Amino acid sequence: MTQRQKSTPDMEELFAGHVAVMLDRYDRALEHHKFDAAVVYSGSPHMQFLDDMAYPFKANPHFKCWAPLTQVPDSFIIYRPGEKPVLAYFQPDDYWHKPPDDPAGFWTAQFDIRILTEKDNARTLMPVGHKAFLGEWQERFSKWGKFSANPQGFIHELHYQRAWKTPYELACMAEASALGALGHRAAYLAFCEDTSEYDIHLAYCAACEHTDDQLPYDNIVALNQHAAILHYTYRDTAVIPAPQRKSFLIDAGASYNGYASDITRTYSFKDDAFAELIDQMDELQQIICDQVIPGASYPELHLDTHRAIGGLLHAAGVITMHGDEAAEAGLTSTFFPHGLGHYIGLQVHDVGGFMNDAGGERISPPQGHEFLRLTRTVESDQVMTIEPGIYFIESLLNKLKDSPLKSAVNWTQVEKFIPYGGIRIEDNVVATDNGPINLTRDAFDKLGQSHS
Ligand code: GLY
Ligand code: MN
Ligand code: MN
């Protein structure tokens, strides 16, 4: 079970509603794809090469979607339409490791729970007929009856539907945001002291009570030019003395019942031109967040962001072209070389971002924007990140110097910003019929502290 689980009547009710949605989704998908039952495997620990140590266990997201169990390997959800879902819960008698706790909490009433002390005993619980199996397939399962392992059409349908979050999922994601906000506040306070990236990372984890393995993704804790490395996950132990401290970018989330938050903030150490650029980016980011409304085209939001970033770069004297022209010419892609964001939920980069329909037809990103991970139209109850950025990445700048767009750049101004690395501001936003709900800003507001 994950830490800090709430067991309130509220959660029981929310979870019952969530399972009702799951039953409906599975009933329809099983019927469409002509299966008699579904078997969802949590997964098993993976051993390191030539070693007797396992990698951290990460549960199958399809399993986590059924139950808030992130650390129960070798367990199964077994569902046959019309019957209560069975949870085959593996709880070995193991004195080397801590076995999972007895099942307890708001979620247990929804399952017919069978405790297994031997892995292969799950075989006796398998229903007859043709079963859709979701999870990491193992050869031993082939003796347990007739399965199709990870049938693509069945998975497409479930992935397409995962974009719509249930009220239970939204409550979990609000909690994940609240934990992330606690971590971000502690990290910011640590940054203001003489600390290293490593120290800041520890302050973050302590505040949200997460081990490294419980984080939904590796924390990005970047001082100065490290902020120009989009996925910088090395945590330097060197303390940078105050006169050399320029900037701090932290991209760090938290987990709650298997659901993720994904939050980025950037700070300038001094009240300087970079601080001004951060403020402008914050303003722009909030304008985009306000446009997360049903019917909006996410790729259009991404392209609008490029034009607006062009405007910021022009106003900051970094480029000589105006915003729209800079975006059209591809100039802004040097400074904003990733997508505006992605779906988020059980996975940080949640599935289904390119799906036009439950059949899996793909909506490609606009040409020249291949890194965009979400191409669907926004609909109510979907949760996505909004994470615009401006970076001064030397390898991309060098390529720009070799292109005809070189003359559209004020290189003296670029040189001034290179030591700061870059800016990213990232929130998690729910689209609703009554306007966007910004889970991240709400979480910071509840802490009584504004972070930008
Ligand atoms: N933290 C990874 C991302 O923002 O997508
Ligand atoms: Mn993100
Ligand atoms: Mn992020």
Side-chain angles (χ1 to χ4, degrees), residues 217 220 231 251 262 264 342 348-349 373 387 424 426:
Y217 56 94
I220 296 167
H231 285 169
D251 182 344
D262 179 7
T264 311
H342 47 86
V348 179
H349 298 152
R373 295 172 195 264
E387 49 181 305
R424 178 163 64 258
E426 176 176 25

